Amino acid sequence: MTTPRSTSAGWGRAGRTSTTPWSADTGFEEEAAEIQDLYLQGRKADAAAAVPEDLVRAISLIGPASEVQARLAALRSAGVTWVLAHSVASTHRERVTQMEQLKDLLG
């Protein structure tokens, strides 16, 4: 269940998105500001490249099934009762397959 590097979708006009404040609240304030600045300059590829892997891992269920399963277990232990999942696979069939894999991991 691997996914491509995160994109900078949602890094729109300053003061008009919820992504930047949310990223700041999770300890990525400087990175969020840099990503938004790059995005607003029209440097979308640079903005996407500036997204730290730690941020992606903090907010995503990515990696081998064993890692995803461990993250799900940690979320359960923390009291999480639902997961909102979005696949970034290229094709419909791949998206369905990923959702089926996630369903199996959720038990």
Side-chain angles (χ1 to χ4, degrees):
M1 292 186 64
T2 58
T3 60
R5 186 161 178 83
S6 175
T7 64
S8 56
W11 297 90
R13 294 185 315 196
R16 298 291 300 169
T17 68
S18 60
T19 307
T20 302
W22 180 88
S23 297
D25 289 345
T26 59
F28 293 94
E29 185 170 3
E30 290 179 23
E31 293 89 343
E34 177 188 359
I35 293 163
Q36 187 173 45
D37 288 346
L38 290 167
Y39 187 90
L40 293 174
Q41 293 169 24
R43 298 170 55 194
K44 293 180 183 180
D46 291 336
V51 176
E53 185 173 338
D54 288 345
L55 172 60
V56 175
R57 291 196 174 280
I59 64 170
S60 305
L61 293 171
I62 60 171
S66 60
E67 287 182 25
V68 173
Q69 195 166 29
R71 282 287 310 276
L72 290 169
L75 291 170
R76 273 191 206 102
S77 294
V80 173
T81 58
W82 60 272
V83 174
L84 176 62
H86 173 77
S87 171
V88 294
S90 325
T91 68
H92 175 72
R93 182 71 230 148
E94 290 171 332
R95 288 187 293 275
V96 169
T97 298
Q98 284 186 348
M99 291 299 107
E100 288 170 346
Q101 290 172 336
L102 181 57
K103 180 182 173 190
D104 290 344
L105 292 173
L106 287 167

